Amino acid sequence: MGVLMDFLEARGLVDTTMVVFTSDHGDYLGDHWMGEKDLFHDQSAKIPLIVIDPSDAADGTRGTVCNALVEAIDLAPTFIDYFGGQAPGSCSRRTFAAAIAARRDAGRLAQGRILGI
Amino acid sequence: MWPSADLSPMSVTTVCNPTGRPRPRYDAYLRERGYDAANPWEHWANSGAGADGTLQNGWLLVHADKAARIPDEHSETPYMTRRAMDFIAESEADGRSMVPASVLHQAALALYRPRTLRQHVRRRRRQAGDPLRAGTAERASGVRRLYGHALFEKHGARRGAVKRSFRPIWPDPADR
């Protein structure tokens, strides 16, 4: 990661690149007496989702934690929306920005933590 | 068939996987450095070696803690990081980066540590006084308490049923 971030910085891309660090799933690691990721406990579903938004608009929330429920399926429309595109109909219609604003995400399956979006 | 436009970096000795698709470019990268095998990734990057040089395949739990048989700089994550940087440079050079949302999705492999997991499970069970090893009534209530969810509903409190249901799926010779 450090090598990659240094590379972006050296090429002057940091200010125009949104960096998202996440994982496809967690692991019980023995919690609830289970291994792997089969059910929707926090150990499986509460994965890190760190968003580095380079825009000035994110300055106010930079470094903060948001516990809104979001899903990985929302990543693509979020990226497209962020960069001014139109997400195709096959995409989830929910971007993180909407998810955060609405705060009405109980029932969504994956839970993430959003920093600084 | 899989598009063949991107086959140029692959060597003529490319071994197709069962889907008929070509092996990843990383295999050719390893071959070029002398790490040849039918599946160079599995044979070199995903396997360890014993003191006598015996191959210790990383798919097996007992070898999950072994170092890969290649130097760090040729292992998978550093390779993919360099590929990511190449992609960014190529995107800039050919104008792709001028298109809004030039997206790079890089997945770094987080190695499972199943042996560590097993030790962790055993430690937790010891600490909590393993209900699976307690008396029958105690065990049933303990299991219900600990597995108060779909697994319990599905398997009931039969000894071993729940335990089997969460046992990692990898083959572990120590378990046989």
Side-chain angles (χ1 to χ4, degrees):
Chain A
M1 278 300 287
V3 171
L4 191 57
M5 293 306 293
D6 287 346
F7 175 85
L8 289 175
E9 196 157 354
R11 298 182 81 90
L13 293 171
V14 169
D15 292 339
T16 55
T17 301
M18 171 184 267
V19 179
V20 177
F21 184 89
T22 186
S23 171
D24 52 345
H25 61 82
D27 197 303
Y28 282 102
L29 286 174
D31 290 350
H32 301 285
W33 314 97
M34 288 186 281
E36 292 230 24
K37 56 193 173 183
D38 298 329
L39 298 164
F40 291 107
H41 289 104
D42 278 358
Q43 286 81 358
S44 286
K46 189 171 184 176
I47 55 173
L49 176 59
I50 301 172
V51 179
I52 304 172
D53 179 348
S55 70
D56 294 341
D59 286 350
T61 53
R62 214 168 284 289
T64 59
V65 176
C66 172
N67 284 317
L69 287 162
V70 295
E71 295 178 281
I73 199 172
D74 302 330
L75 284 167
T78 298
F79 299 155
I80 295 171
D81 185 61
Y82 180 88
F83 288 100
Q86 182 72 39
S90 55
C91 270
S92 145
R93 309 308 298 173
R94 178 184 295 234
T95 71
F96 292 168
I100 294 166
R103 292 280 200 279
R104 53 173 163 68
D105 295 289
R108 304 293 279 182
L109 292 179
Q111 182 170 3
R113 287 179 167 247
I114 305 176
L115 301 180
I117 190 172
Chain B
M1 276 303 288
W2 191 246
S4 58
D6 195 33
L7 286 180
S8 54
M10 320 263 307
S11 79
V12 293
T13 58
T14 293
V15 176
C16 288
N17 65 28
T19 65
R21 295 178 180 180
R23 297 290 312 171
R25 196 185 293 194
Y26 180 53
D27 276 356
Y29 170 90
L30 290 176
R31 284 201 182 90
E32 286 164 10
R33 282 150 189 81
Y35 302 108
D36 199 10
N39 184 335
W41 168 79
E42 180 178 357
H43 192 76
W44 295 100
N46 193 42
S47 290
D52 60 354
T54 315
L55 187 73
Q56 297 178 329
N57 193 302
W59 286 115
L60 297 174
L61 284 184
V62 289
H63 302 318
D65 58 345
K66 305 296 182 348
R69 306 168 68 209
I70 50 176
D72 287 351
E73 65 266 28
H74 296 320
S75 60
E76 207 171 351
T77 299
Y79 171 83
M80 286 306 297
T81 302
R82 289 193 296 271
R83 285 290 302 134
M85 295 187 292
D86 288 347
F87 172 84
I88 292 167
E90 290 162 11
S91 300
E92 279 194 304
D94 66 18
R96 260 178 296 174
S97 65
M98 299 306 290
V99 178
S102 178
V103 176
L104 167 65
H105 171 210
Q106 181 176 19
L109 185 68
L111 290 177
Y112 287 91
R113 298 304 297 270
R115 166 154 280 200
T116 306
L117 164 63
R118 290 160 58 79
Q119 291 167 344
H120 183 67
V121 170
R122 286 172 183 153
R123 185 165 58 246
R124 290 287 297 269
R125 289 170 65 174
R126 273 200 308 275
Q127 287 169 352
D130 186 356
L132 292 173
R133 290 183 185 148
T136 308
E138 207 181 329
R139 181 169 74 234
S141 67
V143 167
R144 192 174 292 114
R145 177 166 49 81
L146 287 166
Y147 302 101
H149 52 58
L151 277 185
F152 180 81
E153 297 303 318
K154 182 178 172 187
H155 298 291
R158 280 181 295 117
R159 181 180 178 86
V162 176
K163 185 182 171 191
R164 275 195 301 278
S165 73
F166 70 83
R167 175 168 292 181
I169 60 171
W170 300 285
D172 185 350
D175 268 354
R176 289 175 192 152

